[in-house]
Every structure is written in structure tokens, then in C-alpha cells.
Amino acid sequence: TGCTKTRVDSMILTVRTLPAINTTNDTLICFSDTLQLNTTGTGSFVWTPNYMISNTNIASPLVSPDVPTTYYVRLTDSFGCFQDDSIYIDVRTSVSVSAGADTTICRTDAIVLNPVSDALYYQWTPATYLDFDNIKNPVATPLTNITYTVVGSIGSCVGQDDISINVVP
């Protein structure tokens, strides 16, 4: 009958930030190898898919996929907030390594060794006259004729090739 009543309510709303998560970068593995995923964050973890993984509820499970696989992880904090991340694991059955064509250089020249390869790690032998023996593209400054062998690897998958450098005065 013309009377009104006004009611005022208030509420405190807390906006929380998403939990911080940091996961291993995408990588390669050999089909016969096992890789430990490393994820940091505070809360509970759930990994999917449940394929060739040691435990789907821990931060750093072991995985051994035999085909390329993307693993997804969800970190949920104590407030129910969650953040997702993923890691793509490309799986190789072999490593290809081509050290390049044999070449000739002058005695005082340097040459950058430039193998064509899909390996992750490299080891050159002998290490003589190389600036580094464990990188993909070392600089060689040989004083005499030499043959270098490069071994490229992805876990237990290994490939190798040779390159001969003829040194002339």
C-alpha cells in the first residue's frame, strides 16, 4: 500500500591469482628411453593421458612413450583454483648424422663444422684443434690433416659420421 522497504547487503569478494606452474620444455626422446617430467608449483597435480606414465598424481612422473605424445598437467591449489600446462614429447627411433663433405683448408684458417642432424647432444673426437668438443658446431683450426668423428645422440639412440679436413700450406 505504498510502503517500501530497502535492504542493503554487502559481501567481501576475494579474487585469487592462478597457481604458478612451471613444466619441462618440449623435448625429444628415444623410443626405448624414460624421461622424468619436472613440474613445480604448490597444490595437487593431475596428468593426462594415462599413457606410459608412472603416476598421474605427482609433480614429476616418469614417462616412456613409444609414439609422439602431448602430456597435460593441471595444478589445483587449496582454494580450488587451477592452472594447466603441457609438454610435447617427440619420439625418435634413430638419430641421423651427416658430418658434411670432406674439405681442404689453409693451415691458418678455421672452419665451423656444420653437421646436419636431429640429435640433441654431440661429441666430437678427437678434440684436438676444436674450440669445444661437445657442441653441434665447433670451430676447428687444425694444423695437420685430421678426421673428426661426430656422435649425435637422443638418449640411447645414437648416430655418427666422419669428416676429413685436408690442411695445406
Side-chain angles (χ1 to χ4, degrees), residues 30-156:
C30 182
F31 73 99
S32 61
D33 290 340
T34 298
L35 173 70
Q36 183 165 22
L37 305 180
N38 292 306
T39 303
T40 58
T42 302
S44 61
F45 296 89
V46 177
W47 290 89
T48 57
N50 187 5
Y51 175 71
M52 306 299 281
I53 187 168
S54 63
N55 187 328
T56 58
N57 297 308
I58 61 173
S60 300
L62 299 173
V63 296
S64 53
D66 52 3
V67 295
T69 304
T70 300
Y71 288 97
Y72 300 91
V73 60
R74 174 168 283 184
L75 171 62
T76 304
D77 68 14
S78 60
F79 302 106
C81 298
F82 63 87
Q83 181 80 287
D84 296 330
D85 205 350
S86 65
I87 176 175
Y88 174 72
I89 301 174
D90 195 2
V91 179
R92 302 293 172 95
T93 57
S94 63
V95 173
S96 64
V97 177
S98 173
D102 295 345
T103 191
T104 300
I105 64 170
C106 291
R107 180 171 291 133
T108 58
D109 288 349
I111 184 171
V112 177
L113 301 178
N114 192 22
V116 176
S117 175
D118 58 359
L120 286 177
Y121 305 102
Y122 297 89
Q123 186 64 54
W124 291 87
T125 54
T128 310
Y129 308 119
L130 295 177
D131 62 344
F132 298 98
D133 66 347
N134 61 350
I135 62 173
K136 183 176 184 179
N137 303 108
V139 176
T141 52
L143 300 175
T144 61
N145 294 346
I146 194 164
T147 298
Y148 289 109
T149 299
V150 60
V151 175
S153 64
I154 301 171
S156 62

